[in-house]
Amino acid sequence: MEPHIIATTPFDGQRPGTSGLRKKVKIFQQPGYLENFVQAIFDTQPELKGGILVVGGDGRYFNREAIQTILRMAAANGVSRILVGRGGIFSTPAVSCVIRKYKTQGGIVLSASHNPGGPDEDFGIKFNAANGGPAPESVTDAIHARTRTIDRYLTLDVPAIDLDEIGSFQLGDAQIEVMDPVADYADLMESLFDFNAIHQLFNSGLFRMRFDAMHAVTGPYAIEILENRLGAEPETVMNGEPKEDFGGGHPDPNLVHAAELVELTTGPEGLDFGAASDGDGDRNMILGKDVFVTPSDSLAILAANAHLTPGYRSGIRGIARSMPTSQAANRVADLMGIECFETPTGWKFFGNLLDDGRITLCGEESFGTGSDHLREKDGLWAVLFWLNLLAVRQQSVAEILQDHWRRFGRNFYTRHDYEGVDLAAAEALMDHLRLLLPGLPGKEIGGMRVSYADDFAYTDPIDGSVSEHQGIRIGFENGARIVYRLSGTGTSGATLRVYLESFEADPARHDQDTQEAMQPLILIAREFAQIEARTGRQEPDVVT
């Protein structure tokens, strides 16, 4: 079957961000828009011709239509075998799992992660490399460069494939395999964690939990693993049916958007454990009774306790954290005598460290945690890790937190997001801060002396690549830190993120409310950056 060659012209703005190309659905629905980006992948990744490709997404609006387009184009471009999840579903961690298990040449993930879904909301696409992780900058730069010169794309004129029936289908010269999207991932989880111990925890009658799938992709995975394999009571998984618009909600597992779950873990009758994941299944939120575990603390606690789980019983080789993530993981690494790397935001920066065996665990403050089992952050993996610790240690979430702080000290941590800020105003704010950086070391701000101030740059220790302008850091002699960064995950305006951290060694002060403990630093950060004057915002939109 001969491919159809369709003439096209470039679209502006197809540069992938930290997690691929994200735009409003209506932009992706423009004739040729999705096709141009997909063809740019095939044109720059020659190993896909004659190779195996994984395709799937989080089930959001436009997911099915986009997959049919990609299947036709993949076949037209000479891909020999395409693995697609039933119903077009694959969580982002599951895509990484399948790429690695079946040794494919890559995968195309359709998701805008934690962003809302629906006809007027967001859609996204990214390419994952043969190691299972997000494509490195060298690849995304090549894809972007091709989108600027593209003049044609290849496709087939064939009927749509039935995505709801597991089986093999022929599409031109390509074999399409519609597969169970859950099984391989669930088997991997069972090899890493003590399912018997977790099963006993569920059967003890002394433990109650809920997992909020937020009407997103993790629902089928959580139902299969938590309820079917581990024996959690029916309806342990809330909002477990994936919906194109995520049930009208915002599939971001934080204290604001998962308010129902937070309420269930609060008060005298609160649940013992609560957890949630996001739109594509790579983020997690961990709650105990009347307690929220920050992602920074979660990474540090998992690292300190990894030896209690089967998959990490022999210990960990190293840890990596994104630059805005708190330094709690550094304290664990120092005590264990292992390396701790500080990278830019974006999971792709962990890939080289994982592939080279320099690290075992990694995480970001934006509710992402993972390990060398995959090359993506993994929401349900983190939940199972916590369940394994709870089963083995026979302590509550709060007790595990308190024990950890007594041993390592507490890094108070919070993030303030100013969403939908005028882009020019946000960039001007950052430019102004950059001008101030050289004169800050040694100066006092709000009664605290600055020890360093920079615009974070990262040199990859494996391949030597350099990533600059990754966020502004201001560190103080007392261990406190302020970070300013513009996020690359939104689709309109700019999101200014302000990260604040202070260290407390005294256990008698570990129970302070985070926002109260951080209030002096919060005021310093707002006033120093002139946030209200430059953006018009008196308060952040989201506080985590």
Side-chain angles (χ1 to χ4, degrees):
M1 183 179 294
E2 290 297 315
H4 287 246
I5 302 174
I6 310 297
T8 189
T9 55
F11 290 86
D12 290 333
Q14 288 198 319
R15 176 182 290 279
T18 55
S19 295
L21 180 66
R22 294 181 186 172
K23 302 288 182 181
K24 293 297 182 184
V25 167
K26 286 182 170 56
I27 292 178
F28 272 101
Q29 288 176 322
Q30 296 174 92
Y33 190 90
L34 173 67
E35 290 86 345
N36 279 15
F37 191 82
V38 172
Q39 187 63 52
I41 293 174
F42 293 126
D43 286 350
T44 59
Q45 308 305 306
E47 65 276 7
L48 291 174
K49 188 169 185 177
I52 308 172
L53 179 71
V54 181
V55 179
D58 61 14
R60 69 177 57 233
Y61 189 86
F62 194 57
N63 189 70
R64 284 176 175 265
E65 295 89 337
I67 287 176
Q68 297 290 350
T69 296
I70 293 167
L71 295 180
R72 294 185 184 105
M73 292 184 64
N77 278 276
V79 177
S80 66
R81 185 179 171 209
I82 307 159
L83 310 179
V84 58
R86 180 177 55 200
I89 290 291
F90 260 136
S91 74
T92 294
V95 169
S96 185
C97 170
V98 171
I99 289 173
R100 293 172 66 80
K101 178 173 181 177
Y102 296 99
K103 296 179 171 55
T104 80
Q105 280 63 56
I108 294 178
V109 185
L110 301 170
S111 173
S113 187
H114 56 293
N115 294 7
D120 299 316
E121 297 296 349
D122 299 341
F123 191 76
I125 180 172
K126 71 173 181 175
F127 177 67
N128 277 29
N131 72 343
E137 288 189 319
S138 59
V139 172
T140 57
D141 286 348
I143 292 171
H144 176 237
R146 179 59 182 142
T147 67
R148 299 177 67 182
T149 61
I150 195 164
D151 58 1
R152 58 93 181 100
Y153 64 85
L154 307 182
T155 189
L156 297 180
D157 185 12
V158 292
I161 290 289
D162 183 358
L163 296 176
D164 295 313
E165 181 180 347
I166 288 178
S168 295
F169 306 89
Q170 202 68 26
L171 190 64
D173 294 329
Q175 182 183 19
I176 311 295
E177 295 184 25
V178 179
M179 59 191 298
D180 182 341
V182 176
D184 290 318
Y185 174 86
D187 290 346
L188 177 60
M189 294 301 103
E190 194 162 357
S191 74
L192 295 173
F193 301 112
D194 189 341
F195 273 31
N196 287 331
I198 300 172
H199 181 74
Q200 290 173 19
L201 179 68
F202 285 146
N203 280 352
S204 68
L206 303 173
F207 181 79
R208 299 178 304 139
M209 75 160 285
R210 289 291 183 274
F211 177 89
D212 190 352
M214 307 191 85
H215 286 303
V217 75
T218 317
Y221 295 83
I223 290 171
E224 169 61 21
I225 295 173
L226 295 176
E227 296 185 8
N228 296 346
R229 297 199 183 193
L230 289 170
E233 63 182 23
E235 300 184 1
T236 290
V237 178
M238 305 162 47
N239 304 316
E241 179 187 357
K243 295 184 177 180
E244 288 189 334
D245 65 349
F246 305 115
H250 192 146
D252 191 356
N254 60 40
L255 298 173
V256 175
H257 299 305
E260 180 185 5
L261 182 67
V262 173
E263 185 176 352
L264 288 173
T265 59
T266 302
E269 301 302 318
L271 299 172
D272 301 293
F273 185 68
S277 191
D278 71 328
D280 66 333
D282 62 359
R283 298 184 182 218
N284 72 91
M285 181 173 70
I286 303 297
L287 300 166
K289 186 175 181 179
D290 292 322
V291 66
F292 162 62
V293 183
T294 71
S296 297
D297 276 340
S298 184
L299 172 62
I301 289 169
L302 298 187
N305 292 274
H307 61 285
L308 299 178
T309 64
Y312 309 93
R313 185 163 288 142
S314 60
I316 62 175
R317 292 181 295 277
I319 311 170
R321 62 170 179 83
S322 67
M323 181 272 287
T325 302
S326 94
Q327 298 165 99
N330 295 65
R331 301 184 183 281
V332 174
D334 288 345
L335 187 65
M336 296 175 69
I338 59 177
E339 289 184 293
C340 188
F341 296 88
E342 183 177 36
T343 74
T345 296
W347 209 259
K348 58 191 174 186
F349 292 103
F350 296 141
N352 280 351
L353 296 169
L354 290 164
D355 288 344
D356 200 55
R358 299 285 290 273
I359 63 171
T360 303
L361 298 185
C362 46
E364 297 182 332
E365 54 71 38
S366 54
F367 295 80
T369 325
S371 84
D372 57 358
H373 73 293
L374 297 177
R375 295 299 181 268
E376 288 278 6
K377 50 184 173 281
D378 190 347
L380 195 50
W381 167 89
V383 174
L384 292 167
F385 206 136
W386 267 95
L387 286 170
N388 201 151
L389 296 187
L390 292 169
V392 172
R393 291 188 53 161
Q394 294 291 300
Q395 291 176 296
S396 69
V397 174
E399 288 169 337
I400 291 175
L401 265 177
Q402 292 289 343
D403 282 354
H404 184 86
W405 293 336
R406 277 192 292 269
R407 184 180 181 193
F408 297 98
R410 181 175 183 183
N411 286 73
F412 282 97
Y413 185 84
T414 187
R415 187 181 94 188
H416 290 203
D417 291 355
Y418 299 82
E419 298 178 338
V421 175
D422 177 78
L423 180 59
E427 291 178 340
L429 181 151
M430 296 294 287
D431 289 341
H432 176 69
L433 288 173
R434 289 189 184 98
L435 291 175
L436 299 176
L437 290 176
L440 288 180
K443 181 179 179 180
E444 284 199 0
I445 304 176
M448 298 192 301
R449 188 174 298 278
V450 177
S451 60
Y452 65 89
D454 61 17
D455 191 352
F456 180 62
Y458 176 69
T459 300
D460 192 295
I462 311 303
D463 63 19
S465 61
V466 178
S467 300
E468 298 180 317
H469 306 299
Q470 296 297 314
I472 291 172
R473 303 186 301 176
I474 301 174
F476 298 91
E477 290 182 353
N478 63 0
R481 199 171 64 134
I482 302 171
V483 174
Y484 302 92
R485 181 176 165 271
L486 297 185
S487 171
T489 61
T491 58
S492 60
T495 297
L496 171 66
R497 302 200 197 281
V498 183
Y499 312 83
L500 303 122
E501 176 181 7
S502 64
F503 178 69
E504 180 57 67
D506 183 1
R509 300 175 63 84
H510 286 168
D511 287 332
Q512 295 178 87
D513 175 79
T514 296
Q515 298 305 313
E516 290 180 7
M518 302 287 281
Q519 192 60 28
L521 195 61
I522 291 169
L523 294 176
I524 290 171
R526 291 182 186 178
E527 292 173 5
F528 182 73
Q530 303 173 358
I531 290 177
E532 182 176 354
R534 291 180 173 274
T535 69
R537 303 295 181 85
Q538 293 182 339
E539 299 289 338
D541 297 281
V542 179
V543 174
T544 50

